[in-house]
Amino acid sequence: MEIKEIVHRIENVMAHYDLSPATFADKIGVQRSSISHLLKGRNKPSLDFVLKVKTAFPYININWLIFGQGNLVDDEHQEKEKTMSSPSPTKRLDAVALNEKEINRIVIFYTDGTFKSHKEV
């Protein structure tokens, strides 16, 4: 098992989900500096780190992540992930509702410094 290859696969996970290193760190619950050190080769990914990736991204093929065997996403979950990766606005709002939060107001900022505020009535 080559550590550089695991780090490269972690970069592939970030690219697959279109995440910056900082967002990826937040998503898996590690310090942002941990990702930076990992990507620069200063640190090696621990088992705890790999498990956090698997927990945050349950469809990741753990054999692929550790050993490079198979595909990035488990074969049985590829279709399900495609459906989940592009939710409709309604599904996104449902996800917000599941967290027991309600949208109070949406503000759109324009490049000319103006904005529009939309509040549900």
Side-chain angles (χ1 to χ4, degrees), residues 57-121:
F57 302 96
Y59 300 135
I60 293 294
N61 180 345
I62 195 77
N63 285 322
W64 172 83
L65 184 59
I66 298 172
F67 304 110
Q69 299 171 349
N71 299 317
L72 185 146
V73 177
D74 286 329
D75 292 336
E76 63 189 79
H77 293 110
Q78 280 188 352
E79 193 59 39
K80 188 181 281 188
E81 186 181 69
K82 286 179 188 175
T83 305
M84 292 180 66
S85 65
S86 57
S88 68
T90 304
K91 288 183 182 178
R92 286 189 212 138
L93 291 175
D94 289 344
V96 171
L98 289 175
N99 290 325
E100 298 180 11
K101 295 180 181 180
E102 293 181 18
I103 296 173
N104 182 20
R105 179 175 44 162
I106 297 174
V107 180
I108 301 172
F109 294 92
Y110 297 97
T111 55
D112 65 357
T114 61
F115 66 92
K116 283 187 179 179
S117 179
H118 301 275
K119 190 169 185 173
E120 189 172 335
V121 278

Side-chain angles (χ1 to χ4, degrees), residues 9-29:
R9 287 190 287 274
I10 290 168
E11 290 173 325
N12 287 339
V13 171
M14 290 188 295
H16 179 77
Y17 290 102
D18 195 27
L19 299 172
S20 69
T23 306
F24 181 72
D26 294 344
K27 179 102 172 142
I28 67 171

